Structures are given as C-alpha cells and as structure tokens.
Amino acid sequence: MKKKYYCSLHFTMDLIGNKWKPLVLFHLLNGPLRSGVLQKTIPGISNKMFTQTVRELERDNLVSRKVYPVVPPKVEYQLTETGKSLEAILKELDNWGKNLMS
Amino acid sequence: MKKKYYCSLHFTMDLIGNKWKPLVLFHLLNGPLRSGVLQKTIPGISNKMFTQTVRELERDNLVSRKVYPVVPPKVEYQLTETGKSLEAILKELDNWGKNLMS
DNA sequence: ATACTATATTACTTTTTGGTAAGTTATTGC
DNA sequence: GCAATAACTTACCAAAAAGTAATATAGTAT
C-alpha cells in the first residue's frame, strides 16, 4: 500500500468514493456487458470519464476486461469476485436513494 | 428536484458520492461531536473542506448543526434521522474496506 | 478506395476542487 | 487594551477533474 489510511472507510472511499464508480459497478450486477452497452446505461458520463473509470476499476481488481479479437472490437466488462462482494452495499445505496427521493 | 436522475443510485451518489461525506457521517455514528473534535477525527481534511462538507450535509438534511451562544463559540454536529438511516451502509463500507486491506 | 463499426486515446480547454493564509467575531482573563 | 479562544469565512492561487473534439485501429461491406 502506498498511502496510509487512518481508518478502513478511508481506504474504501479511495477505491469507490466518487460519483461514477458505484454506478458502473451497479450496472454490472446482472452480468457482463459490452463496453458500449455499459456506457449507454449511464447517461451523462463522457467517453473519457467512462474509459478512465473502468480502467481504474480494473486496476483495483473490481472489474475484469475481456477483449475479443474481432473487428470492430468487442470488449466486455464484468465484476470480479471482489466487485461482486459489493453487491449488497450497492443495492442498499440504490434503495436508500429510492426511499429518499419519493 | 432540480436534476433528473436516471436511477436512484445516481441520486444517492449526488448526496454522498464524494470522499469526505461518508467519513464525516461515519464519525458521527456514536453521537454528536463538537466541530473541532469532528474535524480532528479526520486527518487530512483541510479547514475549508471540512466546513464545506458539513455545510452541504446540513443543507441536505443529513446532519444538524447546533450552535451554543457562548464565547468562544461552541458548535455541535449530529446526524439527523435521515443521516442515521445510513448507519448500516456506512458500517458495511468500513467493513468491506477492512477485509480488503488485510 | 471509401465508409462503417466499436473501442478507445490524445490534445486542448474549461470547470471544479482543494490548499494556504489571513481575517472575523465576541467575550473572558490577564 | 491585548492576547487567547473556537469556529468559521474569505481571497487568492494551484492542482485535479472533467468536457469536447479529433484521431487511431483494422477488418468487412459497399
């Protein structure tokens, strides 16, 4: 570990504490998605931010990236086991928002 | 609501989807804290970011702010009912990080 | 040979975030 | 009357994040 964390929540926030990562992970809960499909499930995310977000999630071993050697390219993203371990939390966050919005 | 959300998780992330807010909320789980004490529980947060974070949490009704009319000033922050409803999630996020770090 | 496809990457600019340091307040204690 | 106190607030600047638009790739279909 490069950085020192004063508590484990701090570590968690460094991994998924931004706006887009939980959304990307959430949309992968039902199984792998092609890059383009995943991106379209998240209106408002720019091309650049999408790529950057999945790159970081891949680096942190929360999603895996599978490239099919075809043309035009086909790339699929799916949750790793670590990513899947966030399932309950992601659904609770979604539900919490649902209750609060209504 | 000003913004349109395409899913409730998006709404959640707009409320608490940054690095500091979950940390502030987490440290208030055990009860109200004075401003200075709360700030010191979060090493690395600057004065400005701290103030800004609690202001936004207050605006969004996740924490309440109680000012005691004394000199020097005394200000306490505590979770609102809405803030408390995040307790389980915050603890799970902390635990998730704990497992992953070790 | 040109256009089309999906998935990026890059350069450039704008916007947002964050840090530092100084100032504010109003009373008490010296 | 001056310093000390807690909790800000502000101005200024630097750094980081994010948006836009152009470009790359390499087969296949026209």
Side-chain angles (χ1 to χ4, degrees):
Chain A
M1 247 174 290
K2 288 180 213 152
K3 290 170 81 173
K4 287 297 182 325
Y5 296 100
Y6 78 96
C7 90
S8 35
L9 182 56
H10 194 189
F11 173 74
T12 303
M13 296 321 289
D14 257 14
L15 282 189
I16 57 167
N18 77 25
K19 180 171 178 169
W20 299 116
K21 287 179 182 178
L23 284 167
V24 169
L25 295 169
F26 184 73
H27 289 296
L28 287 174
L29 284 180
N30 295 321
L33 288 179
R34 287 192 67 161
S35 182
V37 175
L38 177 56
Q39 186 170 348
K40 283 185 195 66
T41 63
I42 307 175
I45 197 172
S46 72
N47 191 277
K48 181 182 155 190
M49 279 312 297
F50 175 74
T51 304
Q52 188 177 308
T53 300
V54 290
R55 284 282 166 284
E56 289 177 13
L57 289 172
E58 190 192 6
R59 179 199 67 197
D60 294 334
N61 195 37
L62 295 172
V63 308
S64 62
R65 182 166 179 272
K66 187 170 180 184
V67 182
Y68 296 84
V70 296
V71 170
K74 175 178 176 178
V75 175
E76 273 188 355
Y77 293 101
Q78 68 179 312
L79 296 182
T80 62
E81 284 309 308
T82 306
K84 280 179 193 161
S85 70
L86 278 167
E87 174 163 6
I89 292 176
L90 291 168
K91 286 180 172 172
E92 284 173 67
L93 283 167
D94 182 56
N95 252 303
W96 184 84
K98 197 173 297 173
N99 291 329
L100 209 59
M101 283 177 86
S102 54
Chain B
M1 249 175 292
K2 289 180 211 150
K3 290 171 79 174
K4 286 297 185 318
Y5 297 100
Y6 76 94
C7 88
S8 34
L9 182 55
H10 194 189
F11 172 75
T12 302
M13 297 321 290
D14 258 12
L15 282 190
I16 57 167
N18 76 24
K19 179 172 180 172
W20 299 116
K21 287 180 182 178
L23 285 168
V24 169
L25 295 169
F26 185 71
H27 290 296
L28 286 175
L29 284 180
N30 295 321
L33 288 179
R34 285 191 69 162
S35 182
V37 176
L38 178 56
Q39 185 171 347
K40 283 186 195 65
T41 63
I42 307 176
I45 197 171
S46 70
N47 191 276
K48 182 181 156 190
M49 280 312 296
F50 175 74
T51 304
Q52 188 178 307
T53 301
V54 290
R55 286 279 167 285
E56 288 176 13
L57 289 173
E58 191 191 6
R59 180 200 64 196
D60 295 335
N61 196 36
L62 295 172
V63 308
S64 62
R65 183 168 178 271
K66 187 170 180 184
V67 182
Y68 296 83
V70 295
V71 169
K74 175 178 176 180
V75 175
E76 274 189 356
Y77 292 100
Q78 67 179 311
L79 297 181
T80 61
E81 284 309 307
T82 306
K84 281 179 193 160
S85 70
L86 278 168
E87 174 163 6
I89 292 176
L90 291 169
K91 287 180 172 170
E92 285 173 66
L93 284 168
D94 182 56
N95 252 303
W96 183 84
K98 196 172 299 173
N99 290 330
L100 209 59
M101 281 176 88
S102 56

